[in-house]
DNA sequence: TTTCGCATGTTGTCTGACATCCTACATGTA
DNA sequence: TACATGTAGGATGTCAGACAACATGCGAAA
């Protein structure tokens, strides 16, 4: 079977190549890129292909293009890892340089609530897999997770034992998560959850409610995460939209 | 003097035109767009220009392109107005269909703290305009704002009386805000601020710390906003990045 | 009935040209 | 010298036409 041998499009390869150049410091913030004609020849692609790559980088706020002047690396080339980049919590902890751990509190098949049915677009009678976990970073509790997945996605009643739910879904259900809508709120104190996270009454919790969609635009995972606010914050790049 | 008579680029006009078609329902989610050749002729532009517009819409998660098949409107064409779209609080309240109001608590020129100096890249001896306000929606307090602007941006010691700080900066300082980095945290209770927002001890506050940049990539405004969490939440579209 | 190959239509890529915009330098004038 | 103007060059923006790579569906062949 095939896995990563799929040939990516050229414009994507070019885009990633340029991103890499910036990340590794070969192109520094404020610097002008070679002109499109020159750069296209250097990269071995046509100018049109290069332009599609540049267009994406501009949209991502990594470069700016100025008609008649040139193309420049932004002063704040945000490679995000901000909230708008969707990663599993395992990945988030990893990229913060810590060691992720999991304590599974609950994993069972249950009848969904009305809210669950609506969000996950369930038929009457369908059941869901409900998982409750505490995720740790370097063995310290960081976030309390409640995850809900339609049971129909699994061929048999499989259970998540540890690690990334994203990987689990991909392997057991052959579902790939593509994007999610997230809602950020906060809650002052929660009897059970605050205790599980071993944090005092004074520390509020950041709440992230997310509905995850598959590549086919179907909702496949509804999750509610409670973060310790003393150890976590979300950051975002915000852009004005008029041009 | 010139104002909005600047001619926008064609690819941007095309992009906005297509967005409008989707918003107004002439193109519905899941529908296939006309093929590029046909669509380009319909819109009166070259295929290359159309492709640049489509590339942006794809990046914004509004359409999906599939090699050899076609281009489709996404099931969840998120026109955001999520947190990643930067708007003044005045605009936010407006677009929620409420009437924005302002109570200025403080407006004075002061010496910046070390943190302010670093964030706003101030020289020694430079001063800042410090503004503290309570913003209301339909006369109910919603958010407590602390704003800090370098004094050098103003020709004289002007003061903000009410309304949008964004507009004020544009008119008085001829500075246009382009983007901001935001950090979202929470705080359980704040003696003074909670009282000003007329909310009880049980309601935590959502805190948004933002550093705003001008079109020239210079930091021009540092602001800290405290939102009533019972009346406000942030939503974001999160995307996976591997393709 | 099943399988295979091909025609067709789509997005992806290439080439070369011209349009439009901005900068910098040279030139001319007071 | 100081300032305004003209001009040449180089950058991104737009155009046209062609071919490549990919996915689908239909018809012929087994």
């Amino acid at each position: 079977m095939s896995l990563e041998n799929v040939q990516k499009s050229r414009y994507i390869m070019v885009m990633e190549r340029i991103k890499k150049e910036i990340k590794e410091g070969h192109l520094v913030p404020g610097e002008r890129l070679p002109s499109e004609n020159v750069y296209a020849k250097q990269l071995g692609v046509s100018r049109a292909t290069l332009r599609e790559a540049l267009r994406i980088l501009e949209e991502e706020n990594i470069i700016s293009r100025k008609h008649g002047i040139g193309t420049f690396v932004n002063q704040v080339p945000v490679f995000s890892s901000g909230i708008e980049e969707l990663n599993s919590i395992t990945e988030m902890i990893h990229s913060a340089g810590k060691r992720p751990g999991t304590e599974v509190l609950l994993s069972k098949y249950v009848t969904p609530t009305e809210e669950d049915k609506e969000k996950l677009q369930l038929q009457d009678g369908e059941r869901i897999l409900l998982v409750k976990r505490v995720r740790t970073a370097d063995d310290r509790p960081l976030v309390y997770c409640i995850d809900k997945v339609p049971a129909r996605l699994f061929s048999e009643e499989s259970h998540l034992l540890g690690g990334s739910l994203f990987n689990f879904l991909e392997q057991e259900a052959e579902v790939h998560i593509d994007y999610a809508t997230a809602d950020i709120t906060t809650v002052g104190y929660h009897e059970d959850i605050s205790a599980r996270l071993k944090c005092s009454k004074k520390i509020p919790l950041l709440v992230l409610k997310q509905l995850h969609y598959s590549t086919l635009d179907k909702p496949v995972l509804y999750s509610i995460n409670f973060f310790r606010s003393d150890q976590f914050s979300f950051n975002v790049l915000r852009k004005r939209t008029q041009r």
Side-chain angles (χ1 to χ4, degrees), chain A residues 84-95:
Chain A
E84 64 271 34
E85 186 171 314
L86 177 59
N87 286 309
S88 71
I89 290 178
T90 304
E91 289 164 343
M92 286 170 70
I93 294 174
H94 244 131
S95 65

Side-chain angles (χ1 to χ4, degrees), chain A residues 23 29 38 60 74 81 91 107 118 158 169 176 196 236:
Chain A
K23 273 187 183 162
V38 174
E60 291 184 356
N74 279 355
S81 53
E91 289 164 343
S107 174
E118 190 193 340
S158 29
L169 278 174
H176 184 78
R196 291 281 187 187
V236 198

Side-chain angles (χ1 to χ4, degrees), chain A residues 197-216:
Chain A
L197 292 174
K198 299 193 174 80
C199 63
S200 78
K201 283 199 175 184
K202 288 187 181 171
I203 300 178
L205 303 173
L206 273 172
V207 184
L208 192 62
K209 295 183 185 176
Q210 297 185 103
L211 188 55
H212 298 76
Y213 292 84
S214 70
T215 321
L216 303 172

Side-chain angles (χ1 to χ4, degrees), chain A residues 2-241:
Chain A
S2 76
L3 58 170
E4 302 309 320
N5 60 5
V6 283
Q7 177 79 350
K8 289 186 197 171
S9 293
R10 270 174 122 127
Y11 71 93
I12 289 184
M13 291 182 358
V14 169
M15 180 202 70
E16 288 175 346
R17 161 87 181 268
I18 299 176
K19 264 192 185 173
K20 197 174 154 198
E21 297 278 327
I22 298 175
K23 273 187 183 162
E24 292 180 351
H26 303 124
L27 292 169
V28 296
E31 185 177 345
R32 216 196 77 195
L33 271 58
S35 78
E36 294 181 355
N37 272 313
V38 174
Y39 210 13
K41 272 177 191 160
Q42 277 184 26
L43 295 169
V45 298
S46 75
R47 209 183 134 209
T49 300
L50 171 62
R51 280 179 64 81
E52 299 220 16
L54 293 177
R55 189 61 69 207
I56 295 176
L57 293 174
E58 183 184 31
E59 188 59 26
E60 291 184 356
N61 220 264
I62 291 172
I63 62 171
S64 292
R65 328 181 71 189
K66 286 168 188 166
H67 192 175
I69 307 179
T71 303
F72 301 83
V73 180
N74 279 355
Q75 294 295 340
V76 187
V78 178
F79 291 106
S80 171
S81 53
I83 187 74
E84 64 271 34
E85 186 171 314
L86 177 59
N87 286 309
S88 71
I89 290 178
T90 304
E91 289 164 343
M92 286 170 70
I93 294 174
H94 244 131
S95 65
K98 311 212 168 181
R99 185 170 41 81
T102 304
E103 179 191 356
V104 178
L105 306 176
L106 178 77
S107 174
K108 65 189 287 192
Y109 286 81
V110 299
T111 304
T113 66
E114 278 305 311
E115 188 193 1
D116 297 338
K117 279 177 68 173
E118 190 193 340
K119 297 221 166 173
L120 291 171
Q121 294 177 18
L122 302 175
Q123 304 294 323
D124 286 332
E126 271 198 84
R127 292 166 71 79
I128 59 170
L129 171 62
L130 171 67
V131 181
K132 295 188 180 181
R133 296 176 295 169
V134 171
R135 316 296 301 273
T136 58
D138 287 350
D139 294 322
R140 297 197 310 184
L142 174 67
V143 48
Y144 184 101
C145 302
I146 301 174
D147 295 293
K148 299 172 181 181
V149 192
R152 89 177 104 83
L153 294 180
F154 307 108
S155 51
E156 52 187 311
E157 289 218 340
S158 29
H159 281 278
L160 175 62
L161 298 175
S164 167
L165 182 55
F166 280 31
N167 290 342
F168 180 72
L169 278 174
E170 202 151 329
Q171 283 155 23
E172 291 292 315
E174 288 176 21
V175 163
H176 184 78
I177 289 177
D178 193 37
Y179 61 97
T181 57
D183 195 61
I184 302 172
T185 58
T186 181
V187 60
Y189 175 74
H190 189 291
E191 191 76 29
D192 181 36
I193 295 177
S194 294
R196 291 281 187 187
L197 292 174
K198 299 193 174 80
C199 63
S200 78
K201 283 199 175 184
K202 288 187 181 171
I203 300 178
L205 303 173
L206 273 172
V207 184
L208 192 62
K209 295 183 185 176
Q210 297 185 103
L211 188 55
H212 298 76
Y213 292 84
S214 70
T215 321
L216 303 172
D217 289 318
K218 300 293 178 193
V220 291
L221 166 63
Y222 181 55
S223 68
I224 307 176
N225 299 332
F226 299 84
F227 289 86
R228 284 185 65 139
S229 65
D230 58 341
Q231 292 181 18
F232 214 89
S233 71
F234 302 119
N235 66 296
V236 198
L237 180 73
R238 308 183 65 193
K239 285 177 278 187
R240 296 225 81 179
T241 48

